[in-house]
Amino acid sequence: LQGIFVLGLPYALLHSGYSGLFLIVVAAALCCYTGKILIICLYEENEDGQLIRVRDTYEDIANACCKNLSPRLGGIVVNVTQVMELIMTCILYLVVSGNLLSHSFPYVPVTEKTWSVFAFITLLPCVFIKTLKIVSKLSQLCSLVHFIIILLVVTYCLTQIHQWSWAKFKLSIEFEDFLVSIGVIIFSYTSQIFLPTLEGNMKNPGEFRCMLNWTHLFACVLKTTFALTAFLTWGEETKEVITDNLPSFLQTLVNLCLLTKALLSYPLPFFAATEIVYACISRDNYSNYSSPLLALGVRGSFLLLTLLMAMFIPHFALLMGLTGSVTGAAMTFLLPSLFHLKLNWKKLSFFEKCADISVFILGFLCSLAGIVCSIKGLLKVFG
């Protein structure tokens, strides 16, 4: 919930003004809601009225919804969407790592792509990750590094408090820039891909809803504080990545922290993507799933794929925006609300049905706006 997207929030406020602060709060509430209804779809009531977990993954939910059309159609669509988004995320971390290394050591005559290869070498041990416990430890370190970054930036901003002025906020906004801001804010909260696995691995799954409430509340407070203090400090001079506004002595330190965060963030989407592939392979032949050689082969192939795509795909950021507009909106808003309506229609109140339909429409509009903006950006680059 506190990913690298957070560094773009001050820039989003530049283009969205006061409405951006409102969007940060609304996005937290919406993403928390869709996370809850997605997990509800994993459960069914038994004869005694008790909730029993009858599904384990996002794929299982999709198959249950599409079983009248095809037993596996929903699962195939969801798996392809998940793997695309997860691979794109892994590639983005490699691209970002190369960029950060290049900016941290500008005097070294090495290209960004070469730096990405060095970052890739440090990620080779990922092929030996077998359980979520290892990933959770790395994610814990990632969170610690993230808090250090936030603390450094906010502390510097507080030293400039004498320059702050609420007059820096815009009252009028440009529609297209506003759409970009919506995308940055909403997708800084996305975590739905990981939630079924996370809930299934909790010691006490009954605490899931409480955990989701507190984490989204905490994330909302941190995002608002960070975005607000940074924007009030730099105003119209706020850059796309806020660390570019920092003085040089602090920028290098923060960039190295960001590099550490990017490398520690890589294992989570990598592990999730390989687990989806394992599940697909094991469905027909369980012995293959337990084969250590196959496991290493799949993980190694994924690692190599992310490096090759990071090295050779031109204008990856724009392509990432286009893919994310489709996969991100689908996994975060469209599918959870659609599945919840399909599986629980008879049990839902009128208000709950209206809420799900509203979330679906909002997700569709966000996706459409993101696709249009990304295509315009690609046409401008290639034109």
Side-chain angles (χ1 to χ4, degrees):
L1 295 179
Q2 293 294 105
I4 288 179
F5 257 125
V6 174
L7 299 175
L9 289 180
Y11 187 74
L13 285 189
L14 173 64
H15 291 295
S16 58
Y18 287 101
S19 60
L21 294 174
F22 176 71
L23 281 171
I24 292 174
V25 178
V26 171
L30 287 175
C31 290
C32 183
Y33 174 73
T34 57
K36 289 176 183 176
I37 62 175
L38 180 67
I39 297 305
I40 287 173
C41 294
L42 296 172
Y43 290 83
E44 295 281 355
E45 284 188 2
N46 62 10
E47 295 176 354
D48 299 324
Q50 295 175 321
L51 288 176
I52 305 297
R53 201 178 202 263
V54 295
R55 304 176 187 100
D56 293 319
T57 62
Y58 215 137
E59 178 190 4
D60 293 338
I61 298 171
N63 284 332
C65 291
C66 299
K67 63 182 179 183
N68 293 332
L69 292 173
S70 172
R72 292 188 179 180
L73 176 63
I76 292 170
V77 172
V78 164
N79 281 340
V80 170
T81 305
Q82 286 187 104
V83 172
M84 281 178 61
E85 183 168 354
L86 292 166
I87 286 178
M88 283 291 195
T89 304
C90 290
I91 298 165
L92 182 63
Y93 287 135
L94 275 178
V95 172
V96 167
S97 297
N99 181 270
L100 289 169
L101 281 167
S102 177
H103 282 81
S104 299
F105 306 103
Y107 46 84
V108 179
V110 173
T111 63
E112 280 190 22
K113 290 184 177 181
T114 306
W115 280 122
S116 293
V117 174
F118 288 133
F120 169 79
I121 293 171
T122 66
L123 294 169
L124 288 176
C126 286
V127 297
F128 302 108
I129 294 177
K130 297 179 180 179
T131 67
L132 198 62
K133 279 190 175 183
I134 298 172
V135 178
S136 70
K137 298 295 183 185
L138 294 173
S139 294
Q140 201 169 24
L141 288 173
C142 179
S143 298
L144 178 62
V145 173
H146 184 86
F147 287 128
I148 292 172
I149 295 167
I150 296 291
L151 184 64
L152 287 171
V153 176
V154 171
T155 301
Y156 176 79
C157 291
L158 290 175
T159 64
Q160 308 297 312
I161 198 169
H162 58 279
Q163 299 179 5
W164 289 11
S165 171
W166 287 95
K168 294 177 180 179
F169 274 95
K170 289 183 179 180
L171 292 175
S172 59
I173 54 177
E174 293 184 16
F175 183 66
E176 190 168 319
D177 290 336
F178 180 67
L179 290 179
V180 174
S181 299
I182 291 176
V184 172
I185 291 169
I186 287 178
F187 295 121
S188 70
Y189 282 104
T190 56
S191 62
Q192 277 69 7
I193 285 179
F194 310 110
L195 294 185
T197 303
L198 178 61
E199 194 260 0
N201 280 274
M202 287 179 71
K203 288 184 178 179
N204 185 2
E207 295 179 347
F208 178 82
R209 293 174 68 87
C210 181
M211 177 276 293
L212 215 58
N213 288 335
W214 280 106
T215 50
H216 279 77
L217 175 63
F218 192 43
C220 180
V221 171
L222 275 177
K223 289 178 196 292
T224 305
T225 303
F226 177 76
L228 193 57
T229 54
F231 177 72
L232 287 174
T233 300
W234 288 288
E236 292 288 335
E237 297 178 2
T238 302
K239 296 182 180 179
E240 287 188 47
V241 180
I242 199 62
T243 53
D244 291 340
N245 284 103
L246 294 170
S248 57
F249 73 91
L250 193 57
Q251 189 176 14
T252 301
L253 175 62
V254 172
N255 279 347
L256 290 174
C257 288
L258 281 171
L259 171 66
T260 305
K261 175 176 170 53
L263 295 175
L264 289 171
S265 297
Y266 185 97
L268 180 57
F270 173 79
F271 177 80
T274 53
E275 283 296 290
I276 291 169
V277 175
Y278 291 164
C280 293
I281 294 172
S282 65
R283 184 179 295 114
D284 299 316
N285 190 343
Y286 187 81
S287 62
N288 283 344
Y289 181 72
S290 58
S291 167
L293 188 60
L294 179 69
L296 286 173
V298 171
R299 295 192 195 110
S301 299
F302 265 75
L303 269 172
L304 189 59
L305 176 64
T306 58
L307 175 65
L308 293 175
M309 292 181 74
M311 295 284 288
F312 297 112
I313 292 181
H315 310 298
F316 175 76
L318 288 170
L319 289 172
M320 174 83 182
L322 181 59
T323 306
S325 297
V326 179
T327 61
M331 302 303 291
T332 306
F333 294 118
L334 301 179
L335 295 182
S337 54
L338 190 64
F339 292 163
H340 191 229
L341 286 169
K342 172 70 175 175
L343 294 173
N344 299 278
W345 180 264
K346 294 179 180 179
K347 304 174 189 176
L348 298 178
S349 65
F350 175 76
F351 175 77
E352 289 173 320
K353 290 176 182 176
C354 288
D356 285 353
I357 292 169
S358 299
V359 169
F360 183 87
I361 293 171
L362 178 65
F364 176 76
L365 294 175
C366 286
S367 178
L368 186 63
I371 290 169
V372 170
C373 290
S374 298
I375 289 176
K376 284 183 71 175
L378 285 168
L379 289 175
K380 186 176 179 181
V381 168
F382 287 107

